[in-house]
Amino acid sequence: MSDDVFFMQKALLEAERAKVLGEVPIGAVIVYSGEVIATGHNLRETEQNATAHAEMIAIEEACKRLGTWRLEDATMYVTLEPCPMCAGAILQSRVNRVVFGAHDPKGGCAGTFMNLLQDERFNHQCELSSGVLKEECGSILTDFFRELRKKKKADKRSSDLEAEEGINNS
């Protein structure tokens, strides 16, 4: 098994942790010298913090662990292509390489919507690999949103029935 697959499986475990919390299931791990030094999963809803993305949490943890903001020899594995905010943080922290699973056609900034990570106008660019465990990374998100829509539909039906019963009982 390749290192990329091994570490993406670790990122998928982080995504599962987010899912258990009712968060969008995205996970990230940062690897330095062949060792996972930081992990993160989405906590946006839990913390009510727009910046609590998996990548941001992992970057913060990695910087603390290494005692520096420069993650020059690190690789980030993330289940979904980074958004503009996370791509910016990846560039600012000087992560050397980014490996992601599923593409994000609505906001992916590692080649799908745009490619901030390899834009030569910046003073840092990242090596980039995509599609690692693409199906698994995409499925966890698809299943999550399918279940969320199903729950919202059921909640609406229940609320409509309660309202109708309230009117009939008046």
Side-chain angles (χ1 to χ4, degrees), residues 19 21-25 44-45 140-156:
K19 183 179 169 185
L21 296 172
E23 295 279 353
V24 175
R44 214 164 45 163
E45 297 298 327
I140 193 171
L141 287 161
T142 301
D143 294 348
F144 175 82
F145 286 113
R146 184 180 298 122
E147 287 301 313
L148 190 63
R149 283 190 298 276
K150 205 183 294 183
K151 183 183 180 319
K152 283 183 179 179
K153 198 173 189 179
D155 289 351
K156 182 172 177 5

Short mmCIF file of all heavy atoms in Angstrom, two decimals, residues 19 21-25 44-45 140-156:
data_model
loop_
_atom_site.label_atom_id
_atom_site.label_comp_id
_atom_site.label_asym_id
_atom_site.label_seq_id
_atom_site.Cartn_x
_atom_site.Cartn_y
_atom_site.Cartn_z
N LYS A 19 -18.24 13.40 11.04
CA LYS A 19 -19.58 12.89 10.74
C LYS A 19 -20.33 12.52 12.02
O LYS A 19 -21.51 12.85 12.17
CB LYS A 19 -19.46 11.68 9.82
CG LYS A 19 -20.76 11.09 9.39
CD LYS A 19 -20.49 9.90 8.46
CE LYS A 19 -21.74 9.11 8.21
NZ LYS A 19 -21.45 7.91 7.42
N LEU A 21 -20.11 13.84 14.81
CA LEU A 21 -20.52 15.08 15.47
C LEU A 21 -21.60 15.84 14.69
O LEU A 21 -22.04 16.90 15.13
CB LEU A 21 -19.30 16.00 15.64
CG LEU A 21 -18.19 15.49 16.55
CD1 LEU A 21 -16.98 16.42 16.46
CD2 LEU A 21 -18.68 15.37 17.98
N GLY A 22 -21.97 15.32 13.53
CA GLY A 22 -22.94 16.03 12.69
C GLY A 22 -22.30 17.11 11.84
O GLY A 22 -23.00 17.95 11.26
N GLU A 23 -20.99 17.07 11.76
CA GLU A 23 -20.24 18.03 10.95
C GLU A 23 -20.08 17.49 9.53
O GLU A 23 -20.12 16.27 9.32
CB GLU A 23 -18.83 18.24 11.54
CG GLU A 23 -18.80 18.87 12.90
CD GLU A 23 -18.94 20.37 12.86
OE1 GLU A 23 -18.95 20.97 11.77
OE2 GLU A 23 -19.06 20.96 13.96
N VAL A 24 -19.85 18.37 8.57
CA VAL A 24 -19.54 17.92 7.22
C VAL A 24 -18.27 17.06 7.33
O VAL A 24 -17.26 17.51 7.90
CB VAL A 24 -19.32 19.11 6.26
CG1 VAL A 24 -18.87 18.62 4.89
CG2 VAL A 24 -20.60 19.93 6.14
N PRO A 25 -18.33 15.81 6.84
CA PRO A 25 -17.22 14.87 7.08
C PRO A 25 -16.00 15.11 6.19
O PRO A 25 -15.85 14.50 5.14
CB PRO A 25 -17.87 13.51 6.80
CG PRO A 25 -18.95 13.81 5.82
CD PRO A 25 -19.45 15.17 6.17
N ARG A 44 -16.86 23.31 12.36
CA ARG A 44 -17.52 24.60 12.12
C ARG A 44 -18.83 24.73 12.89
O ARG A 44 -19.09 25.76 13.50
CB ARG A 44 -17.76 24.77 10.62
CG ARG A 44 -17.66 26.17 10.17
CD ARG A 44 -17.51 26.33 8.71
NE ARG A 44 -18.41 25.50 7.92
CZ ARG A 44 -18.68 25.71 6.64
NH1 ARG A 44 -18.12 26.71 6.03
NH2 ARG A 44 -19.48 24.92 5.99
N GLU A 45 -19.67 23.71 12.84
CA GLU A 45 -20.96 23.76 13.54
C GLU A 45 -20.76 23.65 15.05
O GLU A 45 -21.38 24.39 15.81
CB GLU A 45 -21.89 22.64 13.05
CG GLU A 45 -22.27 22.74 11.58
CD GLU A 45 -23.04 24.01 11.25
OE1 GLU A 45 -23.80 24.50 12.09
OE2 GLU A 45 -22.87 24.51 10.12
N ILE A 140 -18.34 9.46 1.40
CA ILE A 140 -18.67 9.89 2.76
C ILE A 140 -19.42 11.23 2.73
O ILE A 140 -20.36 11.44 3.49
CB ILE A 140 -17.42 9.93 3.68
CG1 ILE A 140 -17.85 10.07 5.14
CG2 ILE A 140 -16.45 11.00 3.27
CD1 ILE A 140 -16.71 9.91 6.13
N LEU A 141 -19.04 12.10 1.80
CA LEU A 141 -19.72 13.39 1.67
C LEU A 141 -21.11 13.22 1.04
O LEU A 141 -22.09 13.77 1.54
CB LEU A 141 -18.88 14.34 0.81
CG LEU A 141 -17.65 14.90 1.50
CD1 LEU A 141 -16.64 15.42 0.49
CD2 LEU A 141 -18.03 15.97 2.50
N THR A 142 -21.19 12.46 -0.03
CA THR A 142 -22.48 12.23 -0.70
C THR A 142 -23.48 11.61 0.26
O THR A 142 -24.63 12.05 0.34
CB THR A 142 -22.27 11.31 -1.93
OG1 THR A 142 -21.34 11.93 -2.81
CG2 THR A 142 -23.57 11.07 -2.66
N ASP A 143 -23.05 10.58 0.99
CA ASP A 143 -23.95 9.91 1.94
C ASP A 143 -24.39 10.87 3.05
O ASP A 143 -25.55 10.86 3.44
CB ASP A 143 -23.26 8.69 2.56
CG ASP A 143 -22.98 7.60 1.53
OD1 ASP A 143 -23.51 7.67 0.40
OD2 ASP A 143 -22.20 6.68 1.86
N PHE A 144 -23.47 11.68 3.54
CA PHE A 144 -23.79 12.64 4.59
C PHE A 144 -24.88 13.61 4.14
O PHE A 144 -25.87 13.83 4.84
CB PHE A 144 -22.53 13.41 5.01
CG PHE A 144 -22.79 14.51 6.01
CD1 PHE A 144 -22.90 14.22 7.36
CD2 PHE A 144 -22.91 15.83 5.60
CE1 PHE A 144 -23.15 15.23 8.28
CE2 PHE A 144 -23.15 16.84 6.51
CZ PHE A 144 -23.27 16.54 7.86
N PHE A 145 -24.70 14.19 2.96
CA PHE A 145 -25.67 15.18 2.48
C PHE A 145 -27.00 14.53 2.09
O PHE A 145 -28.05 15.13 2.27
CB PHE A 145 -25.09 16.02 1.34
CG PHE A 145 -24.08 17.03 1.83
CD1 PHE A 145 -22.74 16.93 1.51
CD2 PHE A 145 -24.48 18.07 2.67
CE1 PHE A 145 -21.82 17.85 1.99
CE2 PHE A 145 -23.56 18.99 3.15
CZ PHE A 145 -22.23 18.88 2.81
N ARG A 146 -26.96 13.30 1.60
CA ARG A 146 -28.20 12.57 1.30
C ARG A 146 -29.00 12.37 2.58
O ARG A 146 -30.21 12.63 2.63
CB ARG A 146 -27.88 11.22 0.65
CG ARG A 146 -29.13 10.45 0.23
CD ARG A 146 -28.81 9.10 -0.41
NE ARG A 146 -28.04 9.29 -1.63
CZ ARG A 146 -26.84 8.75 -1.85
NH1 ARG A 146 -26.26 8.00 -0.95
NH2 ARG A 146 -26.22 8.96 -2.99
N GLU A 147 -28.34 11.93 3.65
CA GLU A 147 -29.00 11.72 4.93
C GLU A 147 -29.53 13.04 5.51
O GLU A 147 -30.61 13.09 6.09
CB GLU A 147 -28.07 11.04 5.94
CG GLU A 147 -27.83 9.58 5.64
CD GLU A 147 -29.10 8.76 5.61
OE1 GLU A 147 -29.93 8.89 6.54
OE2 GLU A 147 -29.30 7.99 4.64
N LEU A 148 -28.75 14.11 5.36
CA LEU A 148 -29.16 15.42 5.85
C LEU A 148 -30.44 15.90 5.14
O LEU A 148 -31.37 16.37 5.79
CB LEU A 148 -28.02 16.43 5.64
CG LEU A 148 -28.15 17.79 6.30
CD1 LEU A 148 -28.19 17.66 7.82
CD2 LEU A 148 -26.99 18.68 5.88
N ARG A 149 -30.47 15.73 3.82
CA ARG A 149 -31.67 16.13 3.06
C ARG A 149 -32.87 15.28 3.48
O ARG A 149 -33.97 15.81 3.64
CB ARG A 149 -31.42 15.99 1.56
CG ARG A 149 -30.58 17.11 0.96
CD ARG A 149 -30.56 17.08 -0.54
NE ARG A 149 -29.98 15.87 -1.10
CZ ARG A 149 -28.68 15.67 -1.30
NH1 ARG A 149 -27.80 16.59 -0.97
NH2 ARG A 149 -28.26 14.54 -1.82
N LYS A 150 -32.65 13.98 3.67
CA LYS A 150 -33.73 13.08 4.09
C LYS A 150 -34.28 13.50 5.45
O LYS A 150 -35.48 13.54 5.66
CB LYS A 150 -33.19 11.65 4.17
CG LYS A 150 -34.23 10.58 3.99
CD LYS A 150 -33.66 9.17 4.14
CE LYS A 150 -32.68 8.83 3.06
NZ LYS A 150 -32.20 7.43 3.17
N LYS A 151 -33.39 13.84 6.36
CA LYS A 151 -33.80 14.27 7.71
C LYS A 151 -34.58 15.59 7.65
O LYS A 151 -35.60 15.72 8.30
CB LYS A 151 -32.58 14.40 8.61
CG LYS A 151 -32.91 14.76 10.05
CD LYS A 151 -31.64 14.95 10.87
CE LYS A 151 -31.87 15.30 12.29
NZ LYS A 151 -32.91 16.24 12.61
N LYS A 152 -34.09 16.52 6.86
CA LYS A 152 -34.78 17.81 6.74
C LYS A 152 -36.18 17.62 6.15
O LYS A 152 -37.13 18.26 6.58
CB LYS A 152 -33.97 18.78 5.88
CG LYS A 152 -32.81 19.40 6.61
CD LYS A 152 -32.09 20.42 5.75
CE LYS A 152 -30.94 21.02 6.53
NZ LYS A 152 -30.20 21.99 5.74
N LYS A 153 -36.30 16.73 5.17
CA LYS A 153 -37.59 16.45 4.56
C LYS A 153 -38.55 15.83 5.58
O LYS A 153 -39.71 16.22 5.68
CB LYS A 153 -37.39 15.52 3.36
CG LYS A 153 -38.52 15.47 2.40
CD LYS A 153 -38.11 14.65 1.18
CE LYS A 153 -39.13 14.74 0.08
NZ LYS A 153 -38.73 13.99 -1.10
N ALA A 154 -38.05 14.88 6.36
CA ALA A 154 -38.86 14.23 7.40
C ALA A 154 -39.27 15.24 8.47
O ALA A 154 -40.41 15.24 8.93
CB ALA A 154 -38.10 13.07 8.01
N ASP A 155 -38.34 16.11 8.88
CA ASP A 155 -38.63 17.12 9.89
C ASP A 155 -39.71 18.09 9.38
O ASP A 155 -40.60 18.49 10.12
CB ASP A 155 -37.38 17.91 10.27
CG ASP A 155 -36.40 17.10 11.10
OD1 ASP A 155 -36.76 15.98 11.53
OD2 ASP A 155 -35.27 17.57 11.30
N LYS A 156 -39.64 18.44 8.11
CA LYS A 156 -40.63 19.35 7.52
C LYS A 156 -42.00 18.68 7.50
O LYS A 156 -43.00 19.30 7.86
CB LYS A 156 -40.22 19.79 6.12
CG LYS A 156 -41.22 20.77 5.51
CD LYS A 156 -40.72 21.35 4.22
CE LYS A 156 -41.68 22.27 3.53
NZ LYS A 156 -42.90 22.64 4.14
#
